[in-house]
């Protein structure tokens, strides 16, 4: 098997592998940024298009809701269409929908364009992780996953910063519209580069599990809708009934997918990806870390604006030390000794938790935001340590055969955990303030460290991980 893998590595030169990774990660960055780039543009949008408060909320939330509902289906479409074709179709659709967003004459049409944008992103995003798993190996895979994790985690913060810069600049007197139109030339160039550099791949699926699509779509919609709108509507009875319905439908979906597998057919989501020991607690640890990051970003940004008088752009720039810490670790952890790499998923959440507690104390003692920069850097470093190495280890254990299934879980899970964290911990922030919220985040991070320890115990004993040769490169 490893002879086949090593010979396959000759298909991609180092230069071609670098361009391939650049195309994939730029596409991921565009999609990640557009989840938040519109936040700082909402006042300008309301001045230009009018619209109710509910319509403005939908401009933001329709993207997140549509993406969360469709992303698993997008991952399986990659197997059906081929990952290259699915990525390019998603990228083209995302670029076209961005143009529609930038030209929208009414708030309603802008919401509709955002839905189309998210549907295209749901097709594009899962192919990024799938192609990384399929086309990289060994140290190259770990480096690629480190960069992928950095883009995935920091895209939201980057969107807020770029959105603030673009709207403030009022380019060509277009107000908020360049926040969307900027995707058009980028998407066009990226599509041409993808057609030139993305490797061709055969389809690995011939049939589509339509029943599974229907079950999962309704289940995800029932779960995400109350999480997105629950706080706005005061957690009315329908929100709790919807959550219960979503959980029940997910159970039915899981049963049905196992039934499809037992009958020898191809399920929408291959749950065999969860079979290797260590994958389940590893995913739990990753979800806790990503959820805590989203809640930390939410509470920290609101505190800066509501209590310290920062504007949206200033609040985004205050987060730069965190982003710097995350980037520094993401770019360097593969060069650390193997024993250190294996320990990072446990020590990372612990460092993140400790930094969070000290940040809370610093704010309570009246520290300025600039004085917290070293702590934010440490928090970002802990976040990266708790996510990138663990995802890389799970990718090796799962293997390329189930790349789409792991990609679907790795795309949907962080998004769902982020929505849940903002819904739950965001409500805690609004009710009890920053100190209690950061304390809750620290407690969840300790749970993440414990789960990562369980995962490490199993993953380090995996025959696949132990047998992997150290010299593998991009394939």
């Amino acid at each position: 098997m490893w002879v086949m893998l090593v010979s396959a590595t000759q298909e991609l030169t180092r230069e071609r592998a670098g361009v391939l990774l650049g195309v994939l990660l730029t596409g991921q960055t565009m999609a990640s940024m557009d989840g938040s780039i519109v936040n700082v543009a909402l006042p300008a949008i309301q001045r230009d298009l009018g619209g109710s408060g509910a319509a403005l909320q939908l401009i933001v939330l329709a993207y997140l809701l549509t993406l969360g509902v469709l992303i698993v289906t997008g991952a399986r479409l990659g197997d059906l269409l081929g990952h290259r074709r699915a990525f390019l179709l998603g990228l083209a659709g995302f670029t076209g929908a961005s143009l529609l967003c930038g030209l929208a004459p009414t708030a309603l049409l802008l919401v509709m364009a955002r839905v189309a944008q998210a549907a295209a992103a749901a097709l594009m995003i899962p192919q990024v992780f799938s192609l990384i798993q399929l086309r990289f190996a060994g140290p190259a895979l770990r480096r690629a996953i480190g960069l992928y994790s950095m883009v995935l985690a920091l895209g939201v913060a980057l969107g807020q910063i770029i959105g603030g810069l673009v709207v403030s600049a009022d380019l060509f007197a277009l107000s908020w519209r360049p926040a969307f139109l900027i995707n058009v030339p980028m998407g066009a160039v990226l599509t041409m580069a993808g057609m030139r550099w993305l490797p061709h791949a055969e389809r690995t699926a011939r049939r589509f599990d339509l029943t599974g699509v229907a079950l999962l779509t309704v289940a995800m919609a029932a779960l995400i809708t109350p999480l997105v709108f629950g706080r706005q509507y005061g957690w009315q009875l329908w929100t709790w009934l919807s959550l219960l319905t979503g959980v029940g439908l997910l159970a039915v979906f899981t049963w049905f997918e196992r039934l499809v597998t037992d009958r020898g057919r191809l399920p929408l989501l291959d749950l065999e990806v969860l079979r290797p020991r260590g994958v389940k607690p590893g995913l739990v640890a990753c979800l806790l870390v990503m959820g805590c990051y989203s809640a930390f970003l939410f509470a920290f940004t609101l505190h800066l604006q509501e209590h310290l008088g920062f504007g949206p752009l200033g609040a985004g720039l205050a987060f730069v030390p965190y982003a710097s810490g995350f980037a520094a670790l993401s770019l360097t952890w593969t060069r650390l000794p193997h024993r250190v790499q294996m320990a990072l998923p446990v020590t990372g959440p612990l460092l993140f938790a400790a930094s969070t507690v000290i940040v809370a104390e610093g704010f309570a003692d009246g520290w300025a935001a600039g004085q917290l920069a070293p702590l934010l850097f440490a928090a970002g470093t802990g976040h990266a340590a708790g996510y990138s190495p663990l995802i890389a280890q799970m990718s090796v254990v799962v293997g390329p055969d189930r790349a789409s299934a792991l990609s679907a879980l790795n795309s949907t899970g962080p998004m769902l955990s982020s929505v849940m964290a903002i819904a739950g911990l965001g409500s805690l922030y609004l009710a009890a303030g920053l100190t209690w919220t950061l304390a809750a985040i620290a407690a969840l991070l300790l749970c993440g460290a414990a789960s990562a320890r369980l995962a490490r115990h199993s993953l380090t004993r995996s025959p696949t991980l132990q047998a992997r040769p150290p010299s593998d490169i991009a394939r």
Side-chain angles (χ1 to χ4, degrees), residues 11 14 93 247 295-296 346 358 363 373 395 411 462:
E11 297 176 8
R14 185 177 297 274
V247 172
F296 182 81
V346 179
I358 302 174
F363 273 128
S395 298
S411 299
S462 167

Side-chain angles (χ1 to χ4, degrees), residues 32-33 35-37 39 152-161 289-305 312-323 352 356 359 363 376 379-380 383 418 421-422 425-426 429 434 437-438 441 445:
S32 297
M33 284 172 47
S36 63
I37 198 171
N39 289 343
L152 186 68
L154 300 182
V156 176
L158 187 61
Q160 292 186 194
I161 295 172
V289 170
M290 290 300 287
C292 287
Y293 159 69
S294 298
F296 182 81
L297 176 61
F298 176 86
F300 184 80
T301 303
L302 277 184
H303 185 80
L304 289 179
Q305 295 183 73
L313 180 58
L317 292 175
F319 208 70
V320 167
Y322 187 105
F352 192 177
T356 299
V359 166
F363 273 128
L376 293 175
H383 177 188
S418 295
I422 292 175
L425 294 172
Y429 170 79
L434 184 69
T437 304
L438 295 185
I441 290 173
L445 287 169

Side-chain angles (χ1 to χ4, degrees), residues 26 83 91 126 163 168 192 208 231 278 360 369 380:
T26 303
H83 298 296
L91 177 59
S168 300
M192 291 187 290
F208 202 52
R231 189 172 70 249

Side-chain angles (χ1 to χ4, degrees), residues 22 81 330:
L81 301 173
S330 296

